[in-house]
Amino acid sequence: MKVKEVADLVGISVRTLHHYDEIGLLTPEEITDAGYRLYSDENLEVLQQILFLKELGFPLKQIKTMLDSPDYDRNEALAMQRRMLLDKRAQLDQMIATLDKTILHNRGEIEMTNKEKFQGFNFSSHNPYEQEARERWGDKKVDESNAKWAGMSEKEQQDLGAAMNAIYFKLAALRHGSPESPEAQEAIKEWYEFLNRMGSYSLEAFSGLGQMYVDDERFTKNIDQFGEGLAVFMRDAMAYYAAYNN
Amino acid sequence: MKVKEVADLVGISVRTLHHYDEIGLLTPEEITDAGYRLYSDENLEVLQQILFLKELGFPLKQIKTMLDSPDYDRNEALAMQRRMLLDKRAQLDQMIATLDKTILHNRGEIEMTNKEKFQGFNFSSHNPYEQEARERWGDKKVDESNAKWAGMSEKEQQDLGAAMNAIYFKLAALRHGSPESPEAQEAIKEWYEFLNRMGSYSLEAFSGLGQMYVDDERFTKNIDQFGEGLAVFMRDAMAYYAAYNN
DNA sequence: ATTGACTCTCACGTTGCGTTATACTTTATA
DNA sequence: TATAAAGTATAACGCAACGTGAGAGTCAAT
């Protein structure tokens, strides 16, 4: 398929396809003698992945990094994308609810706090683990973490969300190997460093958090969406990392 | 409220608020002697509108034009935004359905056409009026219009959608006056020119289309979402325009 | 053979901020 | 009360992701 055919089929521009080729994100299967790009069905399947991830706010560089990874599993990616699309739909639902309340507010039928007026504009939805986190680490650490989150722009929040997912991806791809392998330890180190951008975790607290991933089935359920058994794998990797990095 | 307070409440950056001030989109109610920006509750309500419209893909320049318009009615705007958010949610639903099919396809359980793989990535959903349009204007005109639409990038399609909505807004604001007033005629002229970017309408066809807006209750229902009685107003404005612009 | 549509590369422009630097102001802490 | 930290201002460069236009070659339709 030539560029215009692909562009029309998908609903993007020819320039977009050129750009994706230029940055190495989507390289046509074949180039004719005249230099024309020919796209294969496989190219289209990759393009579909790109558009899903793009819709979810991932920057193209990060999409390329994901797709180029030898550990990238398309079916696991689809499962993750599905969850994120559901999250995004839930965010839209919340925005619609906020809009409905705003209409009633404008009619004088209800009062809205300023906070209520902006429900749904970012993913700062209630963290269901916050109560447990407070019990385990105290109010100060949670408030500190929340303050950091709240002090970020939407872009920063999205980037963090995407970075977090990228780490989950990487760990999921490694989970069939040993949690003590250099690759696994490298990836879990990224997780440790990532967490320390939000709060401040000692190695001991890090290991304890890993145990929580398994003890608390809500954590387990969320994490295992990225790959069955990932929560256990992460716990073991985190315990090993904590033991051997002090 | 100072910038950081607003930024934290809303989940945007301080830089964003500065930018909106710079371009005249959101001007703080008050500036202190030190030059600090102070935002009022009214500013926050405007900011909410901005964020709704931004989420719907309107460029900031266009948002500013809308908000600055003396005809801008916030409640009508909210109704329109609600509809567009519902449309966007429907698009996400379609993307999720596409993703689900993709998962089955990857398992070998179903086959997907290339077209099916990209359902939901743009708003090229089936136009329910297409059948009637074919009957009234023939296959050639509809194919031509569809081909033009399909040949556009997502950005162009979104811009057109936004431009279309902006015209509807303008007309809705004018509908309590005479359809023959210069303002109404100017706005309906924009509609005429807009339609001619998609197809090619004679003045006679334009007037006939206006009549259809009233005769066909699905048209009426869609158009009147922008303002009760707008379909009738447009029909009359279109008839007058057609009669006096040949 | 000619024309129209499609394709290529190149390069500048646009939008909406992010980021950094520098300096002033306000608030919290010792 | 003095000092440090946090918050505020403006200015300006940088970035991502294309859009847009120009010029030229290629392919398909007439």
Side-chain angles (χ1 to χ4, degrees):
Chain A
M1 267 181 127
K2 292 187 238 169
V3 284
K4 191 168 183 348
E5 290 169 328
V6 175
D8 289 350
L9 171 74
V10 173
I12 59 177
S13 73
V14 166
R15 180 72 187 100
T16 300
L17 289 169
H18 286 187
H19 182 61
Y20 290 179
D21 190 7
E22 278 159 24
I23 66 176
L25 183 59
L26 182 70
T27 307
E29 191 80 22
E30 193 179 333
I31 307 290
T32 70
D33 287 339
Y36 280 29
R37 295 167 174 84
L38 296 181
Y39 292 89
S40 64
D41 283 352
E42 170 61 19
N43 281 139
L44 295 183
E45 295 191 14
V46 173
L47 179 55
Q48 188 205 48
Q49 288 288 283
I50 291 167
L51 295 179
F52 274 131
L53 292 165
K54 185 168 163 298
E55 177 64 32
L56 291 167
F58 289 83
L60 297 183
K61 266 179 173 170
Q62 198 168 354
I63 295 174
K64 178 177 158 57
T65 301
M66 286 178 174
L67 296 179
D68 285 348
S69 169
D71 308 311
Y72 180 79
D73 183 285
R74 186 173 294 174
N75 284 320
E76 287 182 356
L78 285 167
M80 181 276 291
Q81 288 158 22
R82 187 179 200 283
R83 188 171 55 82
M84 290 182 78
L85 285 173
L86 290 173
D87 284 345
K88 192 166 181 178
R89 190 175 68 179
Q91 186 198 357
L92 280 182
D93 284 337
Q94 199 167 10
M95 288 183 76
I96 293 167
T98 297
L99 191 147
D100 286 341
K101 286 172 113 177
T102 302
I103 292 176
L104 294 178
H105 170 77
N106 287 351
R107 286 178 185 168
E109 294 184 32
I110 62 167
E111 282 301 306
M112 287 177 89
T113 66
N114 282 335
K115 191 168 177 59
E116 285 173 322
K117 286 171 185 172
F118 295 97
Q119 289 295 328
F121 285 103
N122 60 55
F123 283 93
S124 57
S125 56
H126 175 55
N127 178 357
Y129 306 115
E130 188 164 310
Q131 186 55 39
E132 281 85 347
R134 286 185 186 279
E135 286 167 10
R136 287 176 189 260
W137 292 294
D139 287 345
K140 191 171 180 301
K141 270 197 178 306
V142 174
D143 289 343
E144 186 180 281
S145 183
N146 284 349
K148 265 186 177 176
W149 177 263
M152 288 174 192
S153 68
E154 186 177 341
K155 178 67 159 68
E156 285 173 315
Q157 288 174 356
Q158 278 183 342
D159 286 348
L160 277 174
M164 183 181 79
N165 282 308
I167 298 174
Y168 275 141
F169 259 122
K170 190 177 295 182
L171 287 163
L174 294 165
R175 75 188 189 286
H176 299 304
S178 168
E180 298 169 17
S181 72
E183 295 82 8
Q185 288 297 294
E186 185 64 30
I188 211 70
K189 180 186 175 193
E190 280 189 53
W191 185 231
Y192 178 70
E193 287 167 354
F194 175 84
L195 288 176
N196 275 297
R197 287 162 73 189
M198 296 300 303
S200 75
Y201 293 82
S202 66
L203 287 168
E204 185 184 11
F206 185 58
S207 181
L209 181 65
Q211 188 57 48
M212 217 172 98
Y213 288 172
V214 173
D215 291 344
D216 189 322
E217 71 178 28
R218 287 168 302 166
F219 266 120
T220 310
K221 186 176 172 184
N222 271 355
I223 293 168
D224 279 9
Q225 287 190 79
F226 290 84
E228 187 128 8
L230 178 56
V232 168
F233 178 83
M234 285 182 75
R235 176 199 61 188
D236 295 341
M238 285 158 88
Y240 188 89
Y241 182 82
Y244 290 89
N245 278 276
N246 52 354
Chain B
M1 265 182 132
K2 294 186 237 169
V3 284
K4 193 169 181 350
E5 290 169 327
V6 175
D8 289 350
L9 170 74
V10 173
I12 59 178
S13 72
V14 166
R15 181 69 187 101
T16 300
L17 289 168
H18 286 187
H19 182 61
Y20 290 359
D21 190 6
E22 277 159 24
I23 67 177
L25 183 58
L26 182 70
T27 307
E29 192 79 23
E30 194 178 331
I31 307 289
T32 70
D33 287 339
Y36 281 28
R37 296 170 174 82
L38 296 181
Y39 292 90
S40 64
D41 284 351
E42 170 60 18
N43 280 141
L44 295 183
E45 294 191 15
V46 173
L47 179 55
Q48 188 207 47
Q49 287 287 286
I50 292 167
L51 295 179
F52 274 131
L53 291 165
K54 186 169 162 299
E55 177 65 31
L56 291 167
F58 289 82
L60 297 183
K61 269 179 171 169
Q62 198 167 356
I63 295 174
K64 177 176 158 57
T65 301
M66 285 179 175
L67 296 179
D68 285 349
S69 169
D71 308 312
Y72 180 80
D73 183 286
R74 187 174 292 176
N75 284 321
E76 288 184 355
L78 287 166
M80 181 277 292
Q81 287 159 23
R82 186 179 200 282
R83 188 171 56 82
M84 290 183 78
L85 285 173
L86 290 173
D87 283 346
K88 191 165 182 178
R89 190 175 68 179
Q91 186 197 0
L92 280 183
D93 284 336
Q94 198 166 9
M95 287 182 76
I96 293 167
T98 298
L99 191 146
D100 287 339
K101 285 172 111 177
T102 301
I103 293 175
L104 294 179
H105 169 76
N106 287 351
R107 286 177 186 167
E109 293 184 31
I110 61 168
E111 283 300 308
M112 285 176 90
T113 64
N114 282 335
K115 189 168 178 61
E116 286 174 321
K117 287 171 186 172
F118 295 97
Q119 288 296 327
F121 285 104
N122 59 57
F123 284 94
S124 58
S125 57
H126 174 57
N127 178 359
Y129 306 116
E130 189 165 309
Q131 186 55 39
E132 281 86 346
R134 286 186 187 278
E135 285 166 9
R136 286 176 189 261
W137 291 295
D139 288 342
K140 190 170 179 300
K141 272 198 178 305
V142 174
D143 289 340
E144 184 180 281
S145 185
N146 285 350
K148 267 189 175 175
W149 178 262
M152 289 174 191
S153 69
E154 186 176 343
K155 178 68 159 71
E156 285 173 316
Q157 288 175 355
Q158 277 183 342
D159 286 350
L160 275 175
M164 185 183 78
N165 282 309
I167 298 174
Y168 274 141
F169 260 121
K170 191 177 294 183
L171 285 163
L174 293 166
R175 76 189 188 286
H176 300 304
S178 167
E180 297 169 17
S181 71
E183 295 82 9
Q185 290 296 296
E186 184 66 28
I188 211 70
K189 179 187 174 192
E190 280 187 55
W191 185 234
Y192 178 69
E193 287 166 354
F194 175 84
L195 289 174
N196 274 296
R197 288 163 72 188
M198 297 300 302
S200 76
Y201 293 82
S202 65
L203 288 167
E204 185 184 12
F206 186 57
S207 181
L209 181 65
Q211 188 57 47
M212 217 172 100
Y213 289 173
V214 174
D215 290 344
D216 189 323
E217 69 177 30
R218 287 168 302 168
F219 265 120
T220 309
K221 186 175 172 183
N222 271 356
I223 293 168
D224 279 9
Q225 287 189 80
F226 289 85
E228 187 127 7
L230 177 57
V232 169
F233 178 83
M234 284 181 76
R235 177 199 61 186
D236 295 342
M238 284 156 89
Y240 188 90
Y241 183 82
Y244 289 90
N245 278 276
N246 55 352

